[in-house]
Amino acid sequence: MKNLLTDIAGVRVGHADDKALASGVTAVIFDRPAVAAIDIRGGGPGIREGAVLDLENTVEQIHGIALAGGSAFGLEAGGGVQAWLAEQGRGFAIGGALVPIVPGAICFDLLNGGDKAWGRFAPYRDLGYAAAAAAAADFALGSVGAGLGATTANLKGGIGSASAVTAGGIRVAALAVVNAVGSVTVGDGPWFWAAPFEAGDEFGGGGLPIDFTPDMLEMRIKGGTSATSVENTTLAVVVTDAALTKPQARRLAMMAQTGFARAIYPVHAPLDGDVVFAAATGEKPVDPLAGLTELGMVAANVVARAIARGVYEATALPFPGALPAWKDRFGFVCSRKPDTP
C-alpha cells in the first residue's frame, strides 16, 4: 500500500501541467472498464459526461476520468484522455466502433496569476492527452496536474490521495483536487479539520487544537463576500476493488461525500462545485448491506485524508500575492501540543 489511488489494482494516474499557465490536468485510467457513478453536492459544478453516470442511463462502465483546472475551458481535457484511450483500442463497443467513456470535472483557477492568454484554443485537450499517456502506478501529490493552480480560503491547495483496507478486506482509495471555497485548516493555525482520521503523520501529525475558540469557527471563504460560484470546487475520485452495481457505486459516492464535511469548513456551499466520482473494479464480492456500509464509512475517511494531504503537500505559486503553502507557514511536522512554539 502506497497510500495512493493506485493501491487499487488496475488503476493508474497521470499529470500534465504548464507552470506558466499555472494549471493542468490529472487523468485516472482504468486498465479494464470500471462500474461508476457520480454524486454532486456543490452549487456550481462543471461536469463532462455526467449524465451518462445517472442510474437510469445505459452505460455502466467507464474507461477513464479527466480532472482539470481552467473552469469550463478545462472540460476539453476529457477529449484528450479519450483520444489516448482510442489509440489504445479502448472504448464502449457500438457495432464496429469503440467510444471511450471519460467523465470529467473542472475547477476554477483562471485568476491565480498564471498566463491564461492561450489564444483561440485552450491547451487542456493536449494536456489531457499528455496526462493519460503519463498515467502510472506512482504519481506526485501537491501542486501538480489539476491541482497546480488550486487554492483554498487561506492556503495553497493541490492534489491529495489516500487509501485504506476495510475490516472485510476490501480496498478503497481516493484522489482529491482541493480548490475549496472554505478552509481545510482550523482557524489561523496548522491543525487540519481531518486530523481525527489521519493515518500516521501523512499530513503533519498535528492533531487538533486543545480548545476551539469562537474565531476558529468563523466562516473563512475564498474571496469573502465577492466570491462567485465558478471560483471554487473540490473534486474527488473514489475507487474500490469491490464488485458493485451502478446503484451501489452511487451510494458509495454519496457516503464518500461525508469526507468533504470532515475536511473542509464550510463545504457544499452555493460557491462550491463539489463532485465525487465512485468507481469499482469488481474484484471482490461485498455484502450489499453491512459490507457496503462499512465500505462507505471507510471511503469517507479516506476522502477526508486525501483532502488534507492535498493542502499539506502543496507548494505556493511563484506569483505576487500568491497564497502561502502549509509547509511554508507551519513547517513539515507540527507539534501535537498546539501551544508549543
Side-chain angles (χ1 to χ4, degrees):
M1 298 284 282
K2 300 178 181 179
N3 206 22
L4 296 173
L5 188 73
T6 50
D7 284 331
I8 310 302
V11 179
R12 294 176 289 121
V13 174
H15 302 305
D17 50 52
D18 184 322
K19 300 299 188 267
L21 184 72
S23 188
V25 173
T26 295
V28 178
I29 301 296
F30 300 99
D31 289 343
R32 295 183 303 277
V35 172
I38 189 171
D39 187 59
I40 303 170
R41 299 289 175 92
I47 306 295
R48 167 196 159 96
E49 291 274 41
V52 77
L53 300 178
D54 289 343
L55 300 187
E56 66 272 21
N57 291 332
T58 302
V59 174
E60 294 195 352
Q61 296 179 317
I62 64 173
H63 303 89
I65 297 174
L67 308 175
S71 189
F73 297 102
L75 292 174
E76 293 187 4
V81 177
Q82 189 177 48
W84 184 85
L85 285 164
E87 288 181 349
Q88 314 309 308
R90 306 274 307 281
F92 179 72
I94 306 174
L98 289 175
V99 181
I101 306 300
V102 185
I106 49 85
C107 61
F108 184 96
D109 59 6
L110 299 181
L111 303 178
N112 59 14
D115 181 7
K116 306 302 192 297
W118 47 60
R120 177 170 293 178
F121 297 112
Y124 292 97
R125 185 177 65 175
D126 289 339
L127 287 170
Y129 182 94
D138 293 311
F139 60 95
L141 302 181
S143 300
V144 293
L148 176 59
T151 57
T152 71
N154 57 341
L155 294 168
K156 180 70 177 67
I159 295 278
S161 193
S163 65
V165 182
T166 72
I170 303 295
R171 289 191 178 193
V172 61
L175 180 145
V177 182
V178 188
N179 190 56
V181 67
S183 174
V184 176
T185 54
V186 180
D188 294 320
W191 316 284
F192 287 94
W193 289 106
F197 308 98
E198 185 174 13
D201 292 337
E202 62 186 345
F203 44 87
L208 288 171
I210 294 174
D211 297 306
F212 280 82
T213 57
D215 66 292
M216 292 177 179
L217 301 179
E218 291 178 356
M219 185 173 72
R220 290 171 168 81
I221 60 173
K222 191 190 306 180
T225 57
S226 65
T228 72
S229 61
V230 296
E231 290 182 11
N232 318 281
T233 202
T234 298
L235 312 174
V237 176
V238 174
V239 185
T240 178
D241 60 2
L244 301 181
T245 64
K246 194 174 181 182
Q248 289 173 330
R250 172 67 185 280
R251 179 56 55 185
L252 177 62
M254 293 171 68
M255 295 183 73
Q257 281 271 16
T258 309
F260 283 46
R262 295 172 181 172
I264 304 169
Y265 184 86
V267 72
H268 300 330
L271 312 173
D272 279 316
D274 299 329
V275 173
V276 170
F277 297 97
T281 61
E283 294 182 12
K284 299 174 183 175
V286 62
D287 178 83
L289 298 178
L292 183 58
T293 299
E294 178 191 38
L295 181 60
M297 175 188 73
V298 176
N301 297 345
V302 168
V303 166
R305 292 164 50 205
I307 290 170
R309 287 190 84 193
V311 172
Y312 177 73
E313 297 289 352
T315 53
L317 292 171
F319 305 122
L323 282 171
W326 187 94
K327 291 178 181 178
D328 292 337
R329 289 196 61 187
F330 304 115
F332 282 73
V333 180
C334 64
S335 169
R336 289 191 180 275
K337 297 180 179 180
D339 55 350
T340 301

